[in-house]
Amino acid sequence: MHDVKLFREMHRQRFKADPMIFAAPGRVNLIGEHTDYAEGFVMPAAINFATLAGISPRNDGKIAVYSENQGEEKVFDGVQAKGTKEWTDYPMGVVAILAGEGHKIPGHNLSIWSDVPLASGLSSSAALEVATALAVLGLIDASYPGPTLARLCQRAENEFVGASCGIMDQFISINAKENHALLLDCRDLSYKLAPIPDHVALVIANTMVKHSVAGGDYPTRRRESEAACAVIASHRPGVKFLRDCTLEDLAKWGHEMAPKSLMRARHVIGENLRTVAACEALLKGDLKKLGRLMAEAHLSYSKDFEGSCVEADAMVALAQDLPGLIGARLTGGGFGGCTINLVEQKEAEAFAEALGARYAEQIGIVPQIHVCHASGGARRVE
Ligand code: GAF
């Protein structure tokens, strides 16, 4: 996380006021991809990269938003009804959703500084939404239970930004626990925490291929998998989401689906099973099984969901025989971004170095590789 003292000073100098400061982490998803919007299971962990939001009141009713990352300040007359397709849509979307919930939002200065790598599939968007939400709620002295706040932030992204994401990223950014992964049931938002053993490191390898949820492929995949669900629902009226479907359903009615829809559904249904099994394996300390499930999940993500890319497949393949590897797969929304590698802590640095060198040699791009640990959820920082 960036230097909070320096951040406070930046806000003071720009806005001539002392800010309250909040931090919201990014995340990796250990397993359970493209299952959240199908009311299925995911198992993310927050990481030690975060977005800081500083807030102070102003008395002209305006809302000023400054991002150190963008190097830009924008001033709005007040709450906005719709987005402008710029980075400010994330914070202003949160403000609009909170106003829609009946909160009177006073004028304020919001400054933002993030070290969550952008467009890398590590939920920089959710971290920005959650940090903003905590800051604005702090300003008006209001609060929500974690799951409700996650829904509000998700709505900001769905309704204001226009990205059709699920609940995973906002949920983990708010509700994470240090040194734990969180198995979330995206149907009722109940969850189970699974400790990540001390001897296991989260090694995040950035392919440097840009990822985006708002772009074309994510919503296309979502539509394709929902079309498969509609076919099953036409036979089994109780079915609402792929969460309700089984592999037997696919065996019976898969031939009525477009081939791509069948593949997407096979991924989602299998991924739900793998995710629940992965949490059990982690809870039992069966890291071999966890690694095997991650490998199967990557294959399914790449082949059936077609959510990977040459670079991410290479990053996963190149990790396979390196000492200390427990499991590796592409994490997050896909089509680029990062792989998550669970690695024996004592091998983690050497692993990161060797993987980086192999990737650079094969792909011709120098990747960023981070040895991380699971961090706690969003909070006020002093
Ligand atoms: C992105 C989305 F924001 C999440 O909701 C989730 O669907 C994920 O992609 C894929 O598992 O991070």
Side-chain angles (χ1 to χ4, degrees):
M1 193 165 78
H2 283 308
D3 183 339
V4 177
K5 265 202 190 126
L6 184 58
F7 181 60
R8 180 180 298 284
E9 204 38 52
M10 277 165 31
H11 186 102
R12 267 196 197 130
Q13 280 187 10
R14 175 170 295 271
F15 295 116
K16 315 286 174 250
D18 198 30
M20 281 191 282
I21 299 178
F22 299 82
R27 63 102 190 89
V28 277
N29 188 18
L30 301 188
I31 191 164
E33 229 61 87
H34 289 262
T35 47
D36 59 353
Y37 52 74
E39 297 207 342
F41 295 91
V42 294
M43 192 166 69
I47 51 176
N48 48 313
F49 288 107
T51 297
L52 295 174
I55 195 161
S56 58
R58 53 189 283 163
N59 49 24
D60 59 2
K62 296 191 177 182
I63 300 175
V65 191
Y66 170 72
S67 160
E68 176 69 13
N69 301 77
Q70 304 290 337
E72 191 178 28
E73 179 182 327
K74 294 248 170 175
V75 183
F76 298 88
D77 281 338
V79 178
Q80 300 294 292
K82 56 181 177 48
T84 56
K85 302 275 167 235
E86 289 177 84
W87 65 269
T88 46
D89 285 357
Y90 293 93
M92 292 308 288
V94 168
V95 167
I97 292 289
L98 291 176
E101 289 298 290
H103 295 290
K104 192 171 162 3
I105 311 289
H108 59 268
N109 303 308
L110 182 76
S111 41
I112 287 153
W113 195 19
S114 184
D115 65 359
V116 184
L118 302 181
S120 300
L122 299 177
S123 291
S124 56
S125 311
L128 176 50
E129 291 150 14
V130 170
T132 303
L134 288 191
V136 173
L137 289 171
L139 184 70
I140 61 177
D141 202 17
S143 67
Y144 284 98
T148 313
L149 188 58
R151 277 277 181 239
L152 293 174
C153 292
Q154 181 198 7
R155 280 184 49 210
E157 189 154 342
N158 292 163
E159 296 169 23
F160 201 91
V161 175
S164 54
C165 66
I167 186 76
M168 166 168 67
D169 303 349
Q170 294 80 5
F171 194 95
I172 187 68
S173 182
I174 294 168
N175 299 291
K177 184 167 176 204
E178 189 160 25
N179 299 325
H180 287 71
L182 185 155
L183 176 74
L184 175 65
D185 181 341
C186 300
R187 167 147 285 171
D188 60 9
L189 302 189
S190 60
Y191 64 90
K192 204 189 266 182
L193 289 162
I196 298 176
D198 284 351
H199 63 92
V200 177
L202 308 178
V203 181
I204 296 173
N206 194 338
T207 62
M208 312 307 279
V209 177
K210 291 232 174 298
H211 148 88
S212 149
V213 171
D217 289 326
Y218 183 98
T220 308
R221 292 299 184 283
R222 182 168 177 167
R223 273 195 301 277
E224 287 165 343
S225 62
E226 286 169 351
C229 185
V231 170
I232 297 170
S234 72
H235 297 282
R236 290 213 290 120
V239 162
K240 294 249 169 335
F241 292 91
L242 277 179
R243 158 67 177 276
D244 305 310
C245 304
T246 63
L247 293 170
E248 290 73 48
D249 292 333
L250 287 188
K252 272 198 213 155
W253 300 304
H255 65 278
E256 295 178 24
M257 297 169 188
K260 293 283 184 200
S261 278
L262 172 59
M263 288 159 65
R264 309 312 182 228
R266 192 160 55 215
H267 165 75
V268 173
I269 295 171
E271 188 81 344
N272 278 329
L273 298 170
R274 283 187 290 272
T275 303
V276 173
C279 183
E280 273 165 27
L282 182 56
L283 283 168
K284 278 195 204 136
D286 189 347
L287 297 179
K288 263 218 168 95
K289 182 160 184 198
L290 176 60
R292 213 164 49 233
L293 288 162
M294 288 174 74
E296 284 171 19
H298 182 77
L299 208 64
S300 169
Y301 199 11
S302 178
K303 300 287 177 253
D304 272 344
F305 206 74
E306 296 181 298
S308 187
C309 58
V310 174
E311 294 84 352
D313 285 346
M315 192 73 93
V316 168
L318 292 170
Q320 292 311 314
D321 63 341
L322 287 176
L325 180 74
I326 296 162
R329 54 176 290 282
L330 171 61
T331 189
F335 315 104
C338 295
T339 66
I340 169 68
N341 303 266
L342 294 186
V343 180
E344 289 296 341
Q345 186 73 60
K346 58 182 191 318
E347 307 281 3
E349 290 298 338
F351 175 94
E353 200 164 308
L355 182 59
R358 283 182 171 187
Y359 183 81
E361 191 184 330
Q362 180 164 322
I363 302 293
I365 302 172
V366 178
Q368 280 168 5
I369 307 203
H370 313 280
V371 178
C372 293
H373 62 266
S375 84
R379 64 203 176 278
R380 183 167 180 185
V381 288
E382 291 315 322

